[in-house]
Amino acid sequence: MKRLLILGAGTAGTMVANKLRPRLDERDWNITIVDQDETHYYQPGFLFLPFGGYSRADLEKPKRAFMPKGVNLIMGEIDLIEPEDNQVKLVDGTTLPYDYLVIATGTSPRPDETPGLDSDEWYKSVFDFYTIDGAEALAKKLETWEGGRLAINVIEMPIKCPVAPLEFIFLAEAYFAERGMSDQVELVYVTPLPGAFTKPVAARYLGEMLQERKIGLEADYMLEQVDTENSKLISYDEREVEYDLLVTIPVNMGADFVDRSGLGDELNHVPVDKHNFLSDAHDNIFAIGDAAALPTSKAGSVAHFAVDVFTENFLDYIEGLPMRGEFDGHANCFIESGRGKGMLIDFNYDTEPLPGKYPLPGVGPFSLLMETEANHWGKVMFKWMYWNILLPGRELPLPALMSMAGKIPEKVG
Amino acid sequence: MATATIAGADVTVDEEGFMTEFSEWSEDIGSALAGQIGIDLSDAHWKVLNFVREDFQAQGETPTLRRVSKVGGVPTKELFQLFPKKPAKKMSYIAGVPKPHGCV
């Protein structure tokens, strides 16, 4: 009996289990998946929670409901991977041997990495929205907030869902406008990047959207600490940004057991081949989804396209055949821009987000790098697709690799 | 790509002036590039630059500030003092390695 062990039953791990179980004979293959939390959150929904868009109950389902028959789900905390012995130890003393290991334990916000965040002001004047607790606490705060300077600060890249901070600020602007508070609220986006986004064409479009909405941009800002007593951010080059309300996107790091096992980079993400997710260090360990150190966005769409490529590759790999599929870093992200509109971006390792139509060239229904109502509805409907199509591993009629069809390249120079 | 003459040597650079050929770099070129952006190299600078070059050669990519701090042992605060305002960009420019692309 061969053993496939998956660490993490989040978006990527659950899809791997659902894709591979029907393809691996149960007489020959045991599939076990380990997680420490019973609840699967629809993380893209956290963004809407502070503005009253969803409640907690809308965004959570039991992980067990998404496990196919024939997959052994173990609830437990992972202590250590021992690659030399091909086994994983859990904190409760259980040892899980494997022939192949898939690390899919994601990345998470670490407020304790930044001086000042781990203070009494946490969830009083300083909030995150990438956790269900943070998003809920922020919703309560906004209900009664009387206005002032709201700073949104990305501390360090990479973060998961790198467009969400921008979406947050667009939604905040629309939220305060709707409440008639535009005059009482000043919004400022504080980012370590040189502009609104990482890729030049999208950064220009998004930068213009910030300007239209009179949202301040503090770029190239590397935060050193938050002075919660005086309500200000202080950067390494000693620039100070004052706030009345701070929404922070803390440093994102992979799981600590990855670091303890000697498998992580300096942010505990696992270095892997960017085209097939095989660990640089061990030929029977893969890392997929946010857990992997890949030069593309950490996002559910990336995990989805990656799992499509991984599944076919893995079936060849276990037969001793070369892995033919080459992942291209494909990411596809809706960007809510407020007032019932949204944008869409589609890109990969080599091609930055460009204007055009998606997925059907010239037709859409979605428009790339342009604000439309259809894009907003795409985002709204995506929640249903996530629970009912993506997580169960059903086919979505979108190609895993990015296509240039329908995109309008910018003239060079 | 273009060719520039730096410290008497012909080197290949991209449109932003970053060197594109790792092997074309020398310490003299490093000093000259530093001079162009107003930095006079001290031993503390060289410790960082040597780490950046060694790490690039070993990993195939330019180290991030966090990596220079955690693995290279130079605190981020000090990097900002040595290479003011934009340390990641300036370090890689002087060390003759590509701009860090860490941001996606």
Side-chain angles (χ1 to χ4, degrees):
Chain A
M1 197 76 164
K2 295 266 192 187
R3 290 157 302 198
L4 167 63
L5 179 59
I6 304 167
L7 304 181
T11 308
T14 301
M15 287 191 292
V16 168
N18 277 307
K19 289 271 186 189
L20 282 177
R21 184 65 284 178
R23 308 281 297 271
L24 294 170
D25 195 321
E26 289 195 36
R27 287 166 299 187
D28 302 329
W29 280 89
N30 170 285
I31 302 181
T32 295
I33 187 163
V34 184
D35 202 290
Q36 58 185 10
D37 189 346
E38 289 276 359
T39 307
H40 190 120
Y41 292 100
Y42 178 63
Q43 294 186 66
F46 291 172
L47 169 70
F48 298 94
L49 222 151
F51 308 109
Y54 289 123
S55 68
R56 179 183 282 252
D58 295 327
L59 304 178
E60 53 181 31
K61 290 186 191 286
K63 282 181 177 161
R64 292 178 187 278
F66 297 96
M67 285 306 139
K69 266 195 206 131
V71 168
N72 178 25
L73 172 64
I74 295 178
M75 276 295 148
E77 189 181 338
I78 299 154
D79 181 32
L80 203 61
I81 299 169
E82 296 178 327
E84 307 308 328
D85 299 321
N86 296 315
Q87 61 185 28
V88 169
K89 290 216 160 122
L90 304 187
V91 170
D92 69 7
T94 310
T95 299
L96 301 170
Y98 61 81
D99 294 289
Y100 295 93
L101 181 70
V102 174
I103 302 171
T105 37
T107 192
S108 29
R110 304 289 187 98
D112 54 343
E113 283 286 310
T114 301
L117 285 188
D118 208 3
S119 78
D120 291 348
E121 287 299 311
W122 192 239
Y123 295 176
K124 285 182 187 156
S125 62
V126 182
F127 297 82
D128 73 316
F129 71 91
Y130 275 72
T131 60
I132 188 92
D133 291 339
E136 267 192 338
L138 184 53
K140 276 211 183 81
K141 175 78 180 182
L142 290 182
E143 273 175 22
T144 56
W145 194 51
E146 290 177 352
R149 192 165 213 244
L150 170 54
I152 288 98
N153 176 223
V154 176
I155 295 181
E156 184 175 335
M157 298 299 288
I159 54 167
K160 61 177 147 186
C161 195
V163 293
L166 279 167
E167 296 182 273
F168 182 90
I169 205 159
F170 292 144
L171 289 175
E173 190 273 333
Y175 173 87
F176 292 121
E178 194 176 312
R179 293 165 79 104
M181 290 174 67
S182 296
D183 290 345
Q184 286 101 60
V185 177
E186 183 190 356
L187 294 163
V188 59
Y189 186 58
V190 188
T191 169
L193 298 173
F197 194 57
T198 55
K199 315 266 181 166
V201 177
R204 203 175 66 230
Y205 278 85
L206 293 163
E208 283 167 10
M209 286 167 64
L210 290 177
Q211 279 177 7
E212 283 164 15
R213 291 163 172 76
K214 300 191 170 54
I215 296 167
L217 175 66
E218 193 78 42
D220 286 316
Y221 192 92
M222 286 279 297
L223 181 79
E224 184 181 12
Q225 54 167 304
V226 181
D227 176 355
T228 49
E229 219 157 284
N230 298 302
S231 298
K232 61 186 180 190
L233 306 172
I234 304 171
S235 69
Y236 280 106
D237 54 357
E238 279 145 32
R239 283 148 67 196
E240 296 187 353
V241 174
E242 295 185 343
Y243 64 83
D244 296 298
L245 182 59
L246 173 64
V247 175
T248 178
I249 292 87
V251 176
N252 276 209
M253 291 176 75
D256 287 329
F257 76 82
V258 170
D259 181 43
R260 286 199 295 274
S261 310
L263 288 170
D265 65 9
E266 54 282 359
L267 288 167
N268 305 349
H269 299 134
V270 185
V272 292
D273 185 310
K274 70 176 184 176
H275 297 301
N276 62 32
F277 321 112
L278 185 60
S279 154
D280 291 350
H282 302 280
D283 65 6
N284 61 343
I285 298 181
F286 293 85
I288 198 158
D290 293 350
L294 292 176
T296 185
S297 290
K298 294 193 177 298
S301 65
V302 175
H304 160 221
F305 297 132
V307 168
D308 281 353
V309 174
F310 169 76
T311 303
E312 301 303 320
N313 275 346
F314 186 74
L315 295 169
D316 282 343
Y317 191 65
I318 57 178
E319 297 296 332
L321 299 169
M323 292 190 275
R324 287 168 297 175
E326 293 228 328
F327 185 57
D328 63 352
H330 188 191
N332 182 283
C333 307
F334 286 108
I335 305 175
E336 276 294 292
S337 55
R339 299 174 178 82
K341 289 189 177 180
M343 295 171 77
L344 182 66
I345 53 175
D346 191 66
F347 58 103
N348 70 11
Y349 292 140
D350 303 317
T351 306
E352 63 174 314
L354 295 169
K357 293 282 184 186
Y358 183 89
L360 300 177
V363 177
F366 303 122
S367 305
L368 299 168
L369 267 182
M370 187 194 283
E371 283 184 78
T372 69
E373 287 178 10
N375 290 341
H376 165 72
W377 287 109
K379 178 138 187 157
V380 172
M381 285 189 308
F382 188 74
K383 179 160 160 277
W384 185 90
M385 300 208 316
Y386 181 83
W387 293 124
N388 295 285
I389 297 178
L390 282 190
L391 277 190
R394 299 200 178 99
E395 290 303 319
L396 194 67
L398 296 175
L401 302 184
M402 200 205 73
S403 166
M404 274 308 286
K407 293 193 171 63
I408 305 160
E410 299 252 319
K411 286 196 186 94
V412 179
Chain B
M1 297 301 154
T3 304
T5 306
I6 301 164
D10 286 338
V11 297
T12 321
V13 295
D14 68 11
E15 61 273 19
E16 286 185 274
F18 281 76
M19 290 180 63
T20 57
E21 297 299 324
F22 185 81
S23 60
E24 287 180 356
W25 186 88
S26 68
E27 292 195 355
D28 284 347
I29 290 174
S31 297
L33 289 170
Q36 285 177 8
I37 54 173
I39 294 175
D40 193 10
L41 295 179
S42 67
D43 288 351
H45 289 99
W46 280 112
K47 184 185 171 194
V48 175
L49 297 171
N50 289 333
F51 172 77
V52 168
R53 282 193 62 84
E54 281 160 22
D55 197 62
F56 179 85
Q57 204 162 22
Q59 305 293 327
E61 59 185 76
T62 303
T64 58
L65 287 185
R66 178 173 282 265
R67 187 169 171 85
V68 177
S69 157
K70 191 167 172 184
V71 184
V74 183
T76 307
K77 189 80 181 169
E78 191 180 330
L79 295 174
F80 270 86
Q81 283 153 1
L82 293 170
F83 305 94
K85 303 282 180 205
K86 297 187 178 186
K89 205 170 170 181
K90 287 181 177 174
M91 280 170 355
S92 42
Y93 179 78
I94 299 170
V97 299
K99 208 165 54 162
H101 65 84
C103 342
V104 275

